[in-house]
Amino acid sequence: MNYIKLCLMSLVLLGINQTVHAQMCDVDANGIVDRQDVSLIFQARGQSPTPSDPRDANADGVINLFDARQCVTQCDLPRCETPIAPPPTNQTHVFSGFSSSIEGWQPWVTDGTPEGTFKLKQINTNGSSVMPIGDYFDFNGAHYFFASTQSFRDAELWRSDGTSAGTTQVSNLGQSINLTIGSAGCFAGEKLLVNAFNTNTGFTQAFAFQANGTIEQLDESSVNCGNSTNIDDQSTYGTLYFANFSTDINENAIHISDGSSVELLGSQANPVTRPDRMISIGSNIFYFSRTGSSHTTLMVVKSDGSDATALKNFTGIDSTRVEARDSRLQQIVFNGKLYFNANDGISGFSLWESDGTPSGTKLVKDLDNSPDSTEIAYMRVLGNKFIFKAEGAASGIWISDGTEAGTQKVSNILPLELVENTFYPPIPVVMDGKYFFTAGPAGNHELWVSDGTTAGTQIVRDINIGGSSSPVSLVAQDRYILFAAMATEEQGFELWRSDGTNAGTFLLKDICPDPFCNGMIDFAF
């Protein structure tokens, strides 16, 4: 199988949620987005795009791996097949399911159909083998996860092709390296990086897995995958830039890895330190550098460590909301610029933009036109605009094209961060030009959808009549989303599916049929 096809299979299984214009991906201009278009983007990696180049899907000024990833989500047929290809196979997702107290939490798979939703394997015959909130990685054309045959520690790396027979253990770490099931990871080059406790050294250190289960120690310190970004380097996953945790002088400095080694970005005498919320645009790495409880600076540095530049000082109280994993989506790349939520001490929390220069780092719009704060979160690209939640003086759903005049409120409904019956955050997703989120008054938290207009922002279905179904763990898959919801307290949280319509929203599988039993809680891919 050639390199492009291998990379394409991997990209199809990544489950990227960003949405772009389909016409931006139709490289051969035949009216459809398919495998040929993605292949042409791969072949053009590193080239400079022409104006309105369909290969530069995210409009960041360079054709690279991330354009191919975004265009995979715009393919007209599942798995990005061409119209003359054999009938496509549906994309699958692996998650943690709970069918009974005897079986515990085990790896499950779904292809979006009831018959295609089943337990992959009873890995631990004495109870749970995976965590309720697990980390499942689509890696090298297959699903990977960490599971244990005996306890929450001493986990091994497992691989699945989406079938029970094809779910096998691939690593054999023994007693010297202790992984915890549910371990988080990130990618560099052709490898999966995870942190594990090394009993020989007594420290948690970074290890690199290859697809065949081969493992090697990568670094003496650990990798902070929650504060990292990748830049295309012609490998499958690109070079990883991350903030590492260590005890030496370069603690919490930016480090880089191609999956084979770890190096400090910059020099030993002048490292790039205190990075938060790293995100890359082309060869530029943006990050926030906190120097005190009420002082944060937006910085940009080249991927080779040169030209570190302070773009803007934010001096208000809690001048930026720094989240380790930025799980609240308070920054987004759009049309080659960074859009983010910050407080300059004058306008309160507002919408800002940066093109990587001090003069191009500026306020887009003070949403409430006052010193009061309107905090922004859950930012997603939606067609040729981006959509977000605002909370505070100008609460509601907003849509923006990146200009002050083009940033408008479309609804007073407020996407929720905490919902009844669960403490898991219902992070919004975009699917087929629609923004799915959980909202509603107390006692009626349900699934909502917005197409970026006032008329198109509405409840999808009242799943729990007279109560809250509390949809959480939303995941986009092809032309529908999957999520966990509770139709009744007796049924508990189970697996649901929705295409954004009332009729197309239904219970996909009652994984745990026992009363008051939660069959699944969290998708974590």
Side-chain angles (χ1 to χ4, degrees), residues 146 152-157 171 173-186 192-209 215-225 245:
F146 295 102
F152 282 169
R153 294 193 66 83
D154 303 324
E156 298 285 356
L157 183 65
S171 70
L173 304 180
Q175 299 300 313
S176 61
I177 303 173
N178 297 143
L179 280 168
T180 300
I181 63 174
S183 296
C186 44
L192 166 65
L193 309 187
V194 297
N195 297 320
F197 183 76
N198 190 337
T199 58
N200 294 323
T201 64
F203 294 101
T204 297
Q205 298 170 325
F207 291 83
F209 280 96
I215 186 174
E216 59 185 359
Q217 183 176 333
L218 184 66
D219 194 58
E220 293 183 356
S221 60
S222 59
V223 176
N224 183 1
C225 292
F245 296 134

Side-chain angles (χ1 to χ4, degrees), residues 54-228:
R55 299 171 297 178
D56 186 17
N58 59 8
D60 65 352
V62 63
I63 301 170
N64 56 27
L65 174 71
F66 302 105
D67 298 306
R69 288 180 177 176
Q70 290 196 32
C71 286
V72 164
T73 67
Q74 298 302 306
C75 287
D76 290 284
L77 292 175
R79 298 186 67 83
C80 230
E81 300 288 0
T82 61
I84 60 174
T89 301
N90 285 332
Q91 187 180 33
T92 59
H93 285 300
V94 177
F95 63 98
S96 297
F98 185 95
S99 57
S100 73
S101 58
I102 296 176
E103 295 184 354
W105 293 97
Q106 302 297 335
W108 280 62
V109 68
T110 182
D111 64 0
T113 66
E115 60 274 11
T117 304
F118 56 88
K119 182 177 66 175
L120 282 170
K121 182 162 287 192
Q122 184 74 31
I123 293 176
N124 183 355
T125 57
N126 295 317
S128 296
S129 64
V130 295
M131 293 288 284
I133 308 175
D135 277 295
Y136 296 87
F137 313 98
D138 288 331
F139 176 44
N140 201 41
H143 304 292
Y144 284 77
F145 58 94
F146 295 102
S148 175
T149 59
Q150 53 186 338
S151 68
F152 282 169
R153 294 193 66 83
D154 303 324
E156 298 285 356
L157 183 65
W158 286 70
R159 177 187 186 279
S160 178
D161 61 3
T163 68
S164 296
T167 301
T168 58
Q169 181 179 322
V170 295
S171 70
N172 187 16
L173 304 180
Q175 299 300 313
S176 61
I177 303 173
N178 297 143
L179 280 168
T180 300
I181 63 174
S183 296
C186 44
F187 297 102
E190 311 295 336
K191 298 178 182 178
L192 166 65
L193 309 187
V194 297
N195 297 320
F197 183 76
N198 190 337
T199 58
N200 294 323
T201 64
F203 294 101
T204 297
Q205 298 170 325
F207 291 83
F209 280 96
Q210 297 186 50
N212 62 4
T214 302
I215 186 174
E216 59 185 359
Q217 183 176 333
L218 184 66
D219 194 58
E220 293 183 356
S221 60
S222 59
V223 176
N224 183 1
C225 292
N227 187 12
S228 65

Side-chain angles (χ1 to χ4, degrees), residues 290-302:
R290 183 177 290 277
T291 55
S293 61
S294 61
H295 185 93
T296 306
T297 302
L298 176 63
M299 304 285 296
V300 66
V301 65
K302 294 293 185 183

Side-chain angles (χ1 to χ4, degrees), residues 180-443:
T180 300
I181 63 174
S183 296
C186 44
F187 297 102
E190 311 295 336
K191 298 178 182 178
L192 166 65
L193 309 187
V194 297
N195 297 320
F197 183 76
N198 190 337
T199 58
N200 294 323
T201 64
F203 294 101
T204 297
Q205 298 170 325
F207 291 83
F209 280 96
Q210 297 186 50
N212 62 4
T214 302
I215 186 174
E216 59 185 359
Q217 183 176 333
L218 184 66
D219 194 58
E220 293 183 356
S221 60
S222 59
V223 176
N224 183 1
C225 292
N227 187 12
S228 65
T229 189
N230 290 76
I231 290 183
D232 186 26
D233 64 358
Q234 307 300 309
S235 66
T236 301
Y237 297 104
T239 300
L240 179 72
Y241 291 74
F242 64 93
N244 91 325
F245 296 134
S246 65
T247 56
D248 62 19
I249 191 173
N250 296 316
E251 181 178 6
N252 200 22
I254 296 181
H255 285 63
I256 61 177
S257 177
D258 61 0
S260 300
S261 62
V262 174
E263 304 290 340
L264 181 69
L265 182 65
S267 65
Q268 291 285 339
N270 188 30
V272 181
T273 59
R274 296 184 299 274
D276 279 301
R277 289 168 58 187
M278 284 191 289
I279 191 168
S280 59
I281 303 178
S283 62
N284 288 329
I285 300 172
F286 292 80
Y287 63 96
F288 291 89
S289 179
R290 183 177 290 277
T291 55
S293 61
S294 61
H295 185 93
T296 306
T297 302
L298 176 63
M299 304 285 296
V300 66
V301 65
K302 294 293 185 183
S303 58
D304 61 3
S306 64
D307 300 332
T309 303
L311 300 177
K312 175 71 178 177
N313 292 322
F314 295 99
T315 56
I317 301 300
D318 289 332
S319 51
T320 59
R321 299 291 198 224
V322 177
E323 304 284 345
R325 283 180 173 269
D326 194 29
S327 61
R328 300 178 67 239
L329 303 173
Q330 293 183 293
Q331 58 188 16
I332 196 170
V333 175
F334 178 73
N335 284 344
K337 296 181 181 180
L338 177 67
Y339 291 83
F340 58 97
N341 180 45
N343 181 359
D344 63 354
I346 299 173
S347 302
F349 277 98
S350 302
L351 180 63
W352 288 74
E353 69 173 335
S354 178
D355 62 1
T357 66
S359 61
T361 301
K362 54 191 177 183
L363 179 70
V364 176
K365 186 166 186 171
D366 182 355
L367 302 186
D368 55 32
N369 197 29
S370 77
D372 295 333
S373 287
T374 298
E375 191 171 347
I376 295 168
Y378 294 161
M379 304 172 75
R380 295 285 196 187
V381 174
L382 189 69
N384 61 351
K385 298 182 180 182
F386 62 91
I387 191 170
F388 58 90
K389 158 198 169 174
E391 185 171 4
S395 290
I397 294 178
W398 289 68
I399 194 81
S400 178
D401 62 2
T403 68
E404 180 178 13
T407 302
Q408 301 293 330
K409 187 176 184 179
V410 298
S411 175
N412 289 323
I413 194 69
L414 184 66
L416 298 171
E417 295 187 37
L418 295 175
V419 298
E420 295 165 338
N421 308 311
T422 178
F423 55 84
Y424 297 99
I427 299 174
V429 298
V430 167
M431 187 280 299
D432 197 24
K434 304 182 186 73
Y435 181 74
F436 290 82
F437 58 97
T438 299

Side-chain angles (χ1 to χ4, degrees), residues 438-452:
T438 299
N444 189 220
H445 293 171
E446 296 293 346
L447 183 67
W448 283 66
V449 68
S450 177
D451 63 1

